[in-house]
Amino acid sequence: MRIMETIHGMKRQFSWYPLGHDLERSDEESGALTALPLMSAATLETFYYTENNPFHQRADLNRYQTSGTSSKRRKTIFYSKSDEEAYLRIKLDIFRRILDGHKYRAAMADMGTGHAEATAVEVFRELGMEVETLSFQLPVEQHIERLASFRPEVLYTMPSILDRILLASVDPAAYGICHVILVGEIAAPGWIKRVAERLSIAEEQITDTYGSIEIGTIAYFSHEHRRYLFADGLLAEGVSAESLGEDLEPLTDEQEQVLILTSTVRDSFPALRYVTYDVVRDLRPIMVDGVPRQSFQSIVKRIGPDLKHGEKISIYDIEDVVYRHLGNASVRVNVAGNSLRVYVFSTNATTAVLESIRFDVENRIPEIGMMIRARILAGIQVIGGTFEDSLSRASVKNKKIFYT
């Protein structure tokens, strides 16, 4: 894997940088990093998300699967022993900062699946807490029962799951939750305010964290600074959408940029100028405890092929299902809060066909289907209509995923 050897060599070159910020780099050093090509989705599909990746032959690597690619393969992300150790170390440090010395005794992880869920127990136990986890396959009623009986002071969950818990609860404040740590979908300030009111806690007792299976924990929201601060081991850059060379629509707000990350600790993934496809606002360094740290104000949206509905699902996954049912159709996806709607424009999109598409889309990623059946995740809406060319003409580029 010549590409991985190059990446490891470059990471050794940059590994001395102050972790979590990058103000100390000289112009020459900054130029050395930005002179490298971006690690785009297309590059990863060519060199990493392939059956020929030698990592598939390594029995000592942990592997996690996420959404599909244009070649219809699910992505496999590898973690070495050092990757796992770094992930736990960084996550533990961030959770310690978030909980800020509070002597909480009990925590519950209600996470669905994936890397975040797999490491939650160890992190909370290291913090001295008794911890329980809830399976994503359990019906929402059992989630409610366990919350009522266990009464966790800390709840680690995803916005989409928390939405379903609140919807099914008569009095969520009775669970005794003192602090919520979020990961997964974007958590808007208005949504956090509403959740805090229902749990009868302050907004400062709900902390959003941001991460990905490719990188690990990326950032967390600091209520003190009112901004997201990056985790240790990351170098952050911001680029314009058009600089990615993928025919993406330009960002209209000059404060918005596509986030690019380089990890100095990731070993089994090419995290060198990795394109997250997440759009962040006001990416800039600030002083934290006398030390410069990179930060951003908020996550605005995603512009790449992946979206989040409990677990990652890509536009490729959705289109593949639609085109197996309809040979001639146009697909648009709308993400509004924690709701996912798939619009299918075709004269042959009968009610029966749309229902079949809905079932297959929900089960394209098995974990999503299980969470929907357990009612801890909202179902995916599939809506039919006659194709309107004005939808394409309304923007310069023909977008397929829209965020409301």
Side-chain angles (χ1 to χ4, degrees):
M1 291 258 292
R2 189 173 301 169
I3 189 171
M4 295 302 292
E5 292 173 2
T6 302
I7 286 164
H8 290 158
M10 292 302 297
K11 285 183 184 177
R12 284 192 292 272
Q13 178 180 342
F14 294 108
S15 62
W16 65 270
Y17 288 155
L19 300 181
H21 55 85
D22 60 353
L23 292 185
E24 304 299 324
R25 288 184 289 169
S26 68
D27 291 340
E28 180 181 353
E29 292 153 352
S30 297
L33 181 62
T34 57
L36 296 172
L38 296 171
M39 192 64 63
S40 66
T43 301
L44 287 167
E45 283 196 41
T46 302
F47 294 102
Y48 191 83
Y49 302 131
T50 70
E51 295 177 358
N52 297 325
N53 186 335
F55 286 165
H56 282 287
Q57 311 304 318
R58 296 261 305 268
D60 61 322
L61 298 177
N62 291 334
R63 55 196 71 197
Y64 303 91
Q65 281 200 319
T66 182
S67 59
T69 64
S70 59
S71 58
K72 303 179 184 178
R73 287 189 303 266
R74 288 193 76 182
K75 302 172 187 172
T76 300
I77 313 293
F78 296 93
Y79 271 71
S80 67
K81 181 181 178 182
S82 65
D83 283 331
E84 296 285 5
E85 290 172 348
Y87 179 91
L88 282 167
R89 183 180 67 252
I90 291 168
K91 188 170 182 175
L92 179 62
D93 178 60
I94 286 178
F95 276 36
R96 190 174 279 122
R97 293 184 207 173
I98 288 172
L99 300 177
D100 193 24
H102 288 287
K103 299 299 181 183
Y104 294 130
R105 294 166 298 175
M108 179 171 282
D110 196 346
M111 290 298 305
T113 64
H115 202 206
E117 186 274 338
T119 56
V121 172
E122 188 170 349
V123 168
F124 283 121
R125 283 179 178 164
E126 283 287 331
L127 293 172
M129 284 184 257
E130 182 184 357
V131 57
E132 279 198 11
T133 62
L134 284 168
S135 169
F136 65 94
Q137 300 182 53
L138 293 175
V140 68
E141 290 83 5
Q142 291 189 37
H143 290 246
I144 298 301
E145 289 173 7
R146 292 306 304 143
L147 282 166
S149 61
F150 186 61
R151 293 180 57 81
E153 294 158 295
V154 179
L155 176 63
Y156 182 38
T157 190
M158 298 187 292
S160 53
I161 291 179
L162 186 52
D163 261 346
R164 305 300 290 178
I165 289 172
L166 295 177
L167 189 64
S169 299
V170 176
D171 180 16
Y175 302 140
I177 297 168
C178 300
H179 205 120
V180 176
I181 301 176
L182 298 168
V183 70
E185 303 92 353
I186 295 172
W191 181 85
I192 289 177
K193 183 177 187 298
R194 178 174 62 83
V195 170
E197 290 171 351
R198 292 220 59 199
L199 293 174
S200 295
I201 60 178
E203 291 177 50
E204 290 74 20
Q205 291 168 276
I206 299 178
T207 304
D208 188 31
T209 66
Y210 163 48
S212 73
I213 189 62
E214 295 85 1
I215 297 294
T217 303
I218 295 172
Y220 71 99
F221 186 78
S222 166
H223 290 283
E224 177 185 355
H225 300 93
R226 308 301 301 171
R227 299 177 64 80
Y228 286 82
L229 302 180
F230 282 95
D232 286 347
L234 292 177
L235 310 174
E237 307 171 60
V239 301
S240 64
E242 53 267 38
S243 69
L244 300 180
E246 299 180 25
D247 202 32
L248 295 168
E249 189 173 358
L251 302 172
T252 56
D253 189 327
E254 62 181 16
Q255 284 197 310
E256 295 178 3
Q257 293 177 293
V258 182
L259 182 63
I260 309 298
L261 294 174
T262 294
S263 170
T264 63
V265 298
R266 195 71 163 89
D267 180 52
S268 300
F269 181 81
L272 187 67
R273 303 201 76 204
Y274 166 71
V275 182
T276 66
Y277 293 95
D278 289 322
V279 176
V280 297
R281 179 172 291 125
D282 192 25
L283 176 67
R284 60 181 172 86
I286 62 171
M287 297 300 292
V288 178
D289 298 328
V291 177
R293 295 187 69 91
Q294 265 290 25
S295 71
F296 60 90
Q297 178 186 322
S298 60
I299 307 166
V300 181
K301 59 184 177 182
R302 290 184 61 83
I303 60 171
D306 294 327
L307 52 149
K308 188 85 171 180
H309 189 66
E311 297 293 326
K312 267 189 179 180
I313 185 170
S314 73
I315 189 67
Y316 306 127
D317 296 316
I318 295 170
E319 287 184 328
D320 184 52
V321 169
V322 172
Y323 295 142
R324 281 193 282 110
H325 289 275
L326 295 168
N328 184 22
S330 178
V331 179
R332 300 288 184 274
V333 175
N334 176 257
V335 181
N338 296 319
S339 174
L340 177 59
R341 300 183 182 95
V342 178
Y343 292 89
V344 179
F345 302 97
S346 171
T347 55
N348 298 320
T350 64
T351 301
V353 169
L354 292 173
E355 178 61 20
S356 296
I357 291 172
R358 180 198 61 77
F359 179 84
D360 288 351
V361 168
E362 288 185 344
N363 291 281
R364 176 70 178 205
I365 306 299
E367 296 84 354
I368 292 179
M370 291 179 190
M371 286 191 280
I372 290 173
R373 286 192 294 277
R375 301 190 307 286
I376 64 167
L377 189 64
I380 297 173
Q381 299 179 54
V382 177
I383 303 166
T386 304
F387 179 72
E388 270 288 342
D389 187 57
S390 60
L391 290 173
S392 297
R393 294 199 309 264
S395 62
V396 178
K397 309 297 181 187
N398 188 7
K399 292 192 294 184
K400 295 182 179 180
I401 303 176
F402 294 81
Y403 287 82
T404 304

